[in-house]
Amino acid sequence: MIHIILMILKIIGIVLLGIIATAVLLILAVLFVPVRYKIRAEYYNSVIAEIKVSWFLSLLRLNVNYNKELNIKAKALFFTLYTNSEEKRKKNNRNSKKEKQLTDVEKDDVWGYGGQDNGESGKSVELSKKDADQTLKKDNSLRGENVSNMDNSSTTQDEMKDDFGASEKTENSTQDEKNEKVSFIGKIKDILNKIVSKIKSLIETVINAVKKVDGARKNLENKINKIKSMVSDPANKEMVRFLWEQIKLLFKKLKPTKYNIYLHFGDEDPEKTAKVLMYLSVAYGFMGIDMDIVPEFDKKVMEGNIFMKGRITVFSILLIALRVYRNKQFRKLFIDN
């Protein structure tokens, strides 16, 4: 019995060690196996782009293509995890079903109920037409009799109305004059109330605007004083220097190993072209990536192509983030507060 229990515990221990070993291997693979990427893009009157991302000897792959339409596909080994082509296919199937339903309805309208085209349907249509003609004739005869009776009754009612209306005309005329006077006074009061309310609202808006400007000025002064105190503090100066070094290191880790960038741009306004050229030179100095730039100062041009290939290791990025997080001054300013 004890021997069996020991065997079971031995098997459980082997299984647990296997699970722990696979988990450790997965964590190490995620940290140290680089993520490889390849980017191609060009613009000559239209955009064509392709992005490929792979990990662990292409165990996981992501392909993104754009050529008038966006296509996304994610795969693990030979299995497709996600693709947007299935969604497009479903939409096309829905549109085709709707078109079929519309064509069926049009056939029903042409051939009659149920889409039948035989002699029986023609006979039923002829019989229905005859029945409709007979019912119309009966309705017309009945309407003629009712109209004659209504004419006789309407003459007597008109005579009674004429006698009664003569007595009411004098009363209505005096009442209308009183109503006109009351309505005229009411209109004047409404106009005066509107003018007063507009003046009050204008005064309130001016007061609120003055208060907002004053509050914004005070907030700006407080922010400027706070920034001055932060910059003048030697500990903050050291923190800014440390962050700048870590940002440069991050760009160095993300920098592609192979690249080729060609840009041909220009604007009719030379000042705009000069500004863009200045920004690109700053980016070149910051990232350290060579670019083939051809500016045009007298015509409007926009074209070029980009090729980048490189890899990113998760461990190096986490190491930079850990250094920044452990900085005491950074924690004091951005995390502890």
Side-chain angles (χ1 to χ4, degrees):
M1 185 71 182
I2 297 171
H3 180 69
I4 295 169
I5 293 170
L6 291 174
M7 285 292 293
I8 293 168
L9 291 173
K10 184 179 178 181
I11 293 167
I12 292 170
I14 292 168
V15 171
L16 288 174
L17 285 174
I19 293 169
I20 293 168
T22 53
V24 170
L25 287 174
L26 285 173
I27 292 168
L28 291 174
V30 170
L31 290 175
F32 294 101
V33 175
V35 178
R36 302 180 184 275
Y37 66 89
K38 188 185 289 184
I39 300 170
R40 293 178 185 272
E42 63 179 32
Y43 179 78
Y44 294 95
N45 297 324
S46 63
V47 178
I48 299 173
E50 181 183 8
I51 300 172
K52 291 183 179 180
V53 181
S54 62
W55 179 74
F56 210 150
L57 300 174
S58 298
L59 178 68
L60 296 175
R61 301 185 300 278
L62 175 67
N63 294 331
V64 180
N65 296 317
Y66 181 82
N67 188 2
K68 296 181 180 179
E69 287 185 357
L70 183 64
N71 295 315
I72 303 171
K73 186 180 286 186
K75 298 186 76 174
L77 286 177
F78 303 104
F79 304 100
T80 302
L81 300 177
Y82 173 79
T83 177
N84 63 344
S85 60
E86 294 180 358
E87 296 177 358
K88 293 178 181 178
R89 182 173 55 79
K90 289 178 181 179
K91 288 181 180 178
N92 292 327
N93 291 330
R94 289 174 186 171
N95 293 326
S96 62
K97 287 180 181 179
K98 288 180 181 179
E99 289 176 357
K100 287 180 180 179
Q101 290 176 358
L102 290 171
T103 53
D104 293 335
V105 169
E106 289 174 356
K107 287 179 180 179
D108 293 338
D109 292 335
V110 172
W111 299 113
Y113 179 74
Q116 296 177 356
D117 184 19
N118 50 21
E120 293 179 358
S121 62
K123 290 179 181 179
S124 62
V125 170
E126 290 178 358
L127 290 172
S128 63
K129 287 181 178 179
K130 289 179 180 179
D131 294 334
D133 292 334
Q134 290 178 0
T135 53
L136 284 171
K137 288 178 181 179
K138 289 179 181 180
D139 291 335
N140 289 327
S141 62
L142 292 171
R143 285 176 183 174
E145 292 177 358
N146 291 325
V147 167
S148 62
N149 292 324
M150 290 292 289
D151 290 334
N152 293 325
S153 62
S154 62
T155 53
T156 56
Q157 290 177 0
D158 290 334
E159 290 175 355
M160 293 174 70
K161 285 180 180 179
D162 291 334
D163 295 334
F164 185 73
S167 61
E168 289 184 350
K169 283 182 180 179
T170 56
E171 294 178 358
N172 288 329
S173 62
T174 55
Q175 188 67 30
D176 291 335
E177 291 176 357
K178 291 180 181 179
N179 290 331
E180 286 178 358
K181 291 179 180 179
V182 172
S183 63
F184 181 72
I185 295 168
K187 287 179 180 178
I188 293 171
K189 288 181 180 179
D190 292 335
I191 292 167
L192 292 173
N193 290 326
K194 287 179 181 178
I195 292 168
V196 171
S197 63
K198 285 183 179 180
I199 292 169
K200 287 181 179 179
S201 63
L202 182 62
I203 292 168
E204 289 177 357
T205 52
V206 171
I207 292 168
N208 292 326
V210 171
K211 288 180 180 179
K212 286 181 180 178
V213 170
D214 190 17
R217 183 181 60 79
K218 289 180 180 178
N219 290 328
L220 184 62
E221 288 178 356
N222 292 328
K223 287 180 180 179
I224 290 169
N225 293 327
K226 189 175 181 180
I227 291 168
K228 285 181 179 179
S229 63
M230 288 174 64
V231 171
S232 61
D233 191 357
N236 290 331
K237 288 181 180 179
E238 186 64 28
M239 184 199 67
V240 171
R241 192 181 297 110
F242 169 75
L243 290 176
W244 181 249
E245 290 175 357
Q246 298 304 313
I247 290 169
K248 287 196 293 184
L249 183 61
L250 178 63
F251 274 97
K252 186 178 179 180
K253 296 293 182 182
L254 297 176
K255 183 180 177 181
T257 55
K258 294 181 180 180
Y259 58 88
N260 184 13
I261 300 172
Y262 167 73
L263 296 175
H264 182 203
F265 70 95
D267 194 87
E268 295 177 355
D269 187 3
E271 186 178 356
K272 291 182 180 179
T273 305
K275 283 183 179 179
V276 175
L277 191 62
M278 180 185 67
Y279 297 146
L280 289 173
S281 63
V282 172
Y284 164 73
F286 183 72
M287 294 185 291
I289 296 175
D290 294 329
M291 291 180 280
D292 186 8
I293 301 171
V294 180
E296 295 285 347
F297 293 93
D298 57 350
K299 61 181 179 179
K300 195 169 184 178
V301 182
M302 187 63 188
E303 59 186 15
N305 53 63
I306 297 171
F307 169 75
M308 289 183 180
K309 183 179 179 181
R311 59 184 185 177
I312 302 169
T313 307
V314 176
F315 177 75
S316 59
I317 295 171
L318 287 177
L319 190 62
I320 293 169
L322 184 63
R323 287 174 189 162
V324 174
Y325 181 77
R326 290 184 63 186
N327 187 273
K328 293 180 180 179
Q329 196 65 21
F330 180 81
R331 289 174 60 85
K332 182 180 178 181
L333 291 175
F334 298 103
I335 297 174
D336 294 337
N337 291 331

